[in-house]
Amino acid sequence: MKVLVVEDHSIVIAGCRAMFADDPDVQLLAARTVEEGRGMQVTERPDVTVVDINLPDGSGLDLARDLSGDGAKVIVFTMSDAPVLAMQAIESGAQGYVSKSGDPEELRDAVYAVRSGRRWLPSALLQEVALLRVDQSRRALMLSDRQIQILKALVRGKSMAEIADDLDVCYKTVATDCAAMRSKLNARTSTEMVRVASEMKIV
């Protein structure tokens, strides 16, 4: 089994090698950047790819999305154990999520699970991710039909003035709806509001 680790810290790569040292069937490969990871995915065709979120030349989540879209089995491996980040990783197409701050054996378990076609999350995160999804669904249901229309228009790049014209309402109405949606979606800016709404599959 080929395991590609896309990670820019040598000590983490060394730890991964040590973790699988007793399994002669595992060949561990390493890439240090998004670009290297993409290249090795093509040339080596690993069975499982382990991706750090923060890489020198880009986002590991974007890489996970790209590789998963091409059929790769991906595990996101990062310092954070935040459930919202775990959910984003899974929604990006990753089949597994492991925190570097957890039990080192969790990565090993995740690799074997994902290789066999199963999803893998640390048990401590499973319930939190499930509850977060329920909470986001409830918040989505609190948006009115007009607010959904406004969100979709913002995603298409329209200004609030243009949206007001399209919906035949005054600018203040659109601005008030945007403020209400930012509050409901816990977003500080309209850009963040659109990103959260997209992640929640509202638009």
Side-chain angles (χ1 to χ4, degrees):
M1 171 173 64
K2 285 185 179 180
V3 178
L4 171 62
V5 178
V6 187
E7 163 68 57
D8 64 324
H9 291 96
S10 298
I11 192 168
V12 175
I13 295 172
C16 291
R17 291 191 189 281
M19 190 178 303
F20 293 99
D22 63 344
D23 188 342
D25 293 328
V26 173
Q27 178 187 358
L28 195 134
L29 310 167
R32 296 179 180 273
T33 65
V34 169
E35 184 177 358
E36 285 181 14
R38 285 199 177 103
M40 291 186 72
Q41 187 71 36
V42 172
T43 59
E44 299 291 342
R45 307 307 298 175
D47 298 285
V48 178
T49 301
V50 178
V51 178
D52 187 16
I53 285 183
N54 297 308
L55 294 166
D57 59 341
S59 164
L61 285 180
D62 289 341
L63 178 60
R65 183 179 294 108
D66 292 345
L67 297 185
S68 298
D70 290 335
K73 294 179 177 178
V74 179
I75 297 169
V76 169
F77 188 42
T78 183
M79 285 300 299
S80 176
D81 59 0
V84 66
L85 195 54
M87 188 171 70
Q88 287 177 11
I90 297 301
E91 290 180 348
S92 293
Q95 286 78 33
Y97 182 92
V98 180
S99 170
K100 294 177 183 176
S101 61
D103 184 340
E105 286 299 312
E106 289 183 338
L107 178 60
R108 184 183 174 104
D109 293 343
V111 166
Y112 289 125
V114 169
R115 173 66 179 88
S116 67
R118 292 180 285 126
R119 289 188 180 274
W120 197 95
L121 281 173
S123 55
L125 273 179
L126 278 172
Q127 185 174 6
E128 292 184 68
V129 169
L131 290 173
L132 184 61
R133 279 179 165 162
V134 170
D135 180 56
Q136 289 190 336
S137 296
R138 285 174 178 166
R139 279 189 279 166
L141 291 174
M142 292 189 293
L143 300 183
S144 69
D145 290 343
R146 185 175 66 205
Q147 288 171 343
I148 297 292
Q149 286 181 290
I150 291 171
L151 271 176
K152 288 180 177 179
L154 288 171
V155 168
R156 293 194 298 270
K158 291 202 169 187
S159 68
M160 288 198 289
E162 290 172 321
I163 295 170
D165 286 341
D166 290 345
L167 298 181
D168 196 23
V169 297
C170 67
Y171 178 90
K172 184 176 179 181
T173 297
V174 175
T176 299
D177 273 332
C178 284
M181 287 189 289
R182 285 197 300 272
S183 176
K184 290 176 181 179
L185 298 175
N186 293 331
R188 291 167 294 180
T189 65
S190 292
T191 300
E192 185 178 355
M193 174 181 70
V194 169
R195 178 182 61 77
V196 170
S198 297
E199 289 170 355
M200 291 169 61
K201 312 298 183 187
I202 298 173
V203 293

